[in-house]
Amino acid sequence: MNLQVELLEENSVQRFKIVGEIDAFTAPKLKEKLAAVEKVVGMQAEVDLSEVGYMDSTGLGVFVGFYKAVKANEGHVKIIGVNKRLKRLFEITGLEQVMDIVMEESRDADATV
Amino acid sequence: MPQEVGKQYKELLQQYIDNRNEEDLYFGQQFSRQFIEKKIAPEDVISIHKTALAEVFPDLPEKVMYSFDFLIEMMIHYGLALREHQSLIRKQEEIQMEINVAAKVQDTLLKTKIPDFEGIDIGFITEPAKKMNGDYVYFLNDDNNVASVALADVMGKGIPAALCMSMIKFGMDSLQGENTSPRNVLDIVNRIVEKSVDDSMFISMFYGKYDARDSSFSYASAGHEPALIYRASEGGFTELDAKGLLLGVQPDVDYEERSVMLEVGDFIVMMTDGVTEVRTETGFIDEGLIKSILLEVKEESAQSIADTVYNRLLELQNFHLRDDFTIIIFKKENDLV
């Protein structure tokens, strides 16, 4: 199973673009990438999940850990590009209430830009 | 001991040099096993070879014999590496034994008994995908009127998960009387878990409490998969969801508590994501599938309903569970005995 993480810095926002499936096999790689920056004080992180086809609870654990670490360093985590299935996962777990989560933009909205 | 193997070695060597057939080579290979068993180091093997050679060919030039002293030095670190490897294997065996003991302790510690009293029929099945289970079911039953159940899914497996479960169990055991309302239980357990777990670890938990005196089922959820209730009067299902964050993310969480009344024939289905997120070759199962299986067997006993769902979904995954699987059924029985 493949997973790619790209890190882009845009106007002091750390933007992570994740492509692939996040499960028990790929999660350690993701965790390592995120852990490299999570101690930065006051970091504004944006995690783009629009190219993530599947994520299980191990993946969710990685984001919970990242969220806690960034929050402890007075930073902010925003998760974008969340599809319907992932949205349900964030809803059920109650994480939607504490994390900044943005649904995937619909194709129509893209077209008008 | 070295003299004895030295003698045998010499005989085998002599035999091979004289005949040079495959069979003798094979004997040599088998013989090396004895060397390993007797913990003879690689450098000692060279030394044995040197001695044997000197006896077989007394006229070998001295210079050739010196070369073996050099070879012996070359082998010293191989010998050390081998001993290190063997000591690691021993350590690993010790750790494995400790894990086995821990798993047994966990089994005993986390044992739970289905509450058995009139008015409610309870059945459940929990199966780990691997050796240790990350799902945890615990029944509490203080008197003959109230049956409570906690269903937790611990992210992560093995020893850390097992320790977490013990924490949950003792947290719940310490609560009594009015403190056992679902929202209270989750609040207390969350505080315990939040203080104790690693950052990337979390637990989802559903807590339900059935009171036979008024047939009410109250529940709260810490980020857990919603339960289902089957209404015999309507012939359909409704989701039992309640707002609440996963355990272990932050210390102060307000858990919502809700309650439903059960009529005869109604049943509640509590599950972990190993049930709802079954993945087959063609993708995730349709959420209607579980409901349709439940409908087929709705007249059966709680245990039989749980078993049927398990067996059907196991078959769909080609008899190979990808995730820990747990389903619990609370079914209201006929009041008349």
Side-chain angles (χ1 to χ4, degrees):
Chain A
M1 229 48 82
N2 237 331
L3 180 86
Q4 276 154 20
V5 184
E6 282 169 41
L7 175 59
L8 284 167
E9 195 176 333
E10 268 171 35
N11 306 325
S12 77
V13 173
Q14 304 284 328
R15 200 155 181 275
F16 295 90
K17 169 99 179 161
I18 301 169
V19 181
E21 299 199 340
I22 312 175
D23 56 21
F25 297 104
T26 61
K29 185 178 167 187
L30 175 63
K31 190 176 176 177
E32 192 185 310
K33 292 262 185 182
L34 295 176
V37 292
E38 69 187 16
K39 294 284 181 330
V40 177
V41 176
M43 179 177 52
Q44 301 299 305
E46 202 173 276
V47 181
D48 184 351
L49 298 183
S50 57
E51 301 288 325
V52 173
Y54 173 78
M55 177 166 94
D56 67 6
S57 59
T58 331
L60 209 56
V62 174
F63 291 121
V64 170
F66 184 61
Y67 163 77
K68 284 169 85 173
V70 172
K71 201 178 153 217
N73 290 300
E74 282 150 27
H76 181 80
V77 180
K78 187 173 177 178
I79 296 184
I80 64 166
V82 175
N83 67 25
K84 243 181 160 173
R85 241 201 101 247
L86 290 178
K87 162 111 170 137
R88 182 174 176 269
L89 196 58
F90 282 111
E91 260 173 24
I92 287 175
T93 52
L95 290 170
E96 197 195 37
Q97 306 284 320
V98 294
M99 289 164 90
D100 192 356
I101 290 161
V102 183
M103 276 281 281
E104 195 169 29
E105 288 166 39
S106 74
R107 302 285 170 211
D108 291 351
D110 270 356
T112 58
V113 175
Chain B
M1 186 257 312
Q3 273 140 10
E4 181 57 30
V5 286
K7 214 178 130 203
Q8 285 174 304
Y9 184 87
K10 194 189 101 186
E11 280 161 20
L12 277 172
L13 181 68
Q14 174 99 59
Q15 208 171 324
Y16 176 66
I17 292 171
D18 291 347
N19 308 317
R20 270 183 296 156
N21 58 36
E22 285 285 322
E23 209 179 323
D24 294 329
L25 272 184
Y26 177 74
F27 281 141
Q29 208 188 86
Q30 292 302 309
F31 195 55
S32 72
R33 285 191 185 180
Q34 285 190 38
F35 279 41
I36 293 169
E37 273 166 26
K38 288 178 178 157
K39 299 201 174 81
I40 295 174
E43 63 269 26
D44 294 334
V45 178
I46 312 281
S47 178
I48 290 169
H49 183 77
K50 186 191 167 193
T51 312
L53 206 61
E55 286 172 27
V56 178
F57 300 110
D59 304 329
L60 266 189
E62 267 191 347
K63 284 181 180 170
V64 173
M65 297 313 283
Y66 294 154
S67 79
F68 285 104
D69 296 332
F70 191 79
L71 187 56
I72 286 169
E73 287 305 309
M74 288 298 295
M75 297 312 286
I76 298 260
H77 279 279
Y78 283 93
L80 289 175
L82 180 68
R83 279 193 283 278
E84 211 169 284
H85 176 73
Q86 284 165 336
S87 108
L88 278 178
I89 288 179
R90 263 198 307 280
K91 267 187 202 147
Q92 203 181 18
E93 279 167 359
E94 279 167 25
I95 292 171
Q96 193 54 49
M97 265 168 63
E98 279 177 23
I99 290 176
N100 289 345
V101 173
K104 269 193 200 141
V105 170
Q106 187 199 18
D107 280 349
T108 319
L109 208 62
L110 300 181
K111 212 164 253 171
T112 191
K113 197 172 161 279
I114 296 184
D116 178 21
F117 58 83
E118 278 166 34
I120 192 91
D121 176 22
I122 300 172
F124 84 106
I125 182 163
T126 178
E127 277 297 325
K130 292 193 183 126
K131 196 172 165 191
M132 284 180 99
N133 202 338
D135 288 356
Y136 177 46
V137 179
Y138 190 52
F139 292 104
L140 291 101
N141 156 218
D142 301 339
D143 49 44
N144 287 328
N145 295 312
V146 180
S148 302
V149 64
L151 171 56
D153 183 352
V154 181
M155 212 284 305
K157 314 256 177 285
I159 304 278
L163 291 174
C164 257
M165 290 175 195
S166 311
M167 220 152 61
I168 297 173
K169 178 193 150 77
F170 293 114
M172 287 188 299
D173 281 343
S174 66
L175 299 171
Q176 267 164 6
E178 66 268 37
N179 268 332
T180 59
S181 75
R183 67 180 302 170
N184 247 323
V185 172
L186 291 185
D187 183 44
I188 305 278
V189 175
N190 179 51
R191 281 169 207 278
I192 299 172
V193 170
E194 200 273 334
K195 266 188 230 151
S196 331
V197 300
D198 175 72
D199 266 355
S200 61
M201 196 157 173
F202 64 78
I203 300 161
S204 74
M205 181 163 149
F206 187 92
Y207 193 87
K209 185 178 182 181
Y210 178 75
D211 190 330
R213 286 166 296 197
D214 59 0
S215 302
S216 68
F217 181 84
S218 50
Y219 61 95
S221 165
H224 198 84
E225 203 65 37
L228 291 174
I229 178 167
Y230 172 76
R231 292 289 193 194
S233 59
E234 296 162 14
F237 294 91
T238 315
E239 272 193 359
L240 297 182
D241 53 357
K243 277 192 170 35
L245 183 63
L246 293 165
L247 302 175
V249 180
Q250 59 185 43
D252 289 296
V253 181
D254 193 10
Y255 290 101
E256 181 187 12
E257 180 173 319
R258 292 188 173 183
S259 171
V260 284
M261 294 295 166
L262 295 189
E263 304 290 337
V264 173
D266 290 358
F267 62 88
I268 286 170
V269 186
M270 290 160 271
M271 300 164 278
T272 53
D273 57 5
V275 182
T276 52
E277 303 214 340
V278 165
R279 247 176 143 193
T280 65
E281 278 160 15
T282 49
F284 290 98
I285 56 161
D286 182 46
E287 60 173 342
L289 177 69
I290 296 168
K291 290 180 188 168
S292 72
I293 299 171
L294 290 167
L295 275 179
E296 268 180 54
V297 288
K298 63 183 193 310
E299 304 297 341
E300 294 178 18
S301 73
Q303 190 58 50
S304 160
I305 295 174
D307 290 342
T308 305
V309 174
Y310 173 71
N311 290 327
R312 293 278 188 88
L313 294 183
L314 188 64
E315 200 181 329
L316 271 181
Q317 298 173 83
N318 288 323
F319 302 94
H320 171 74
L321 284 185
R322 282 166 176 262
D323 195 0
D324 303 332
F325 186 109
T326 303
I327 184 166
I328 307 169
I329 309 284
F330 271 47
K331 187 176 187 185
K332 186 167 161 58
E333 288 177 323
N334 204 323
D335 290 328
L336 304 167
V337 181

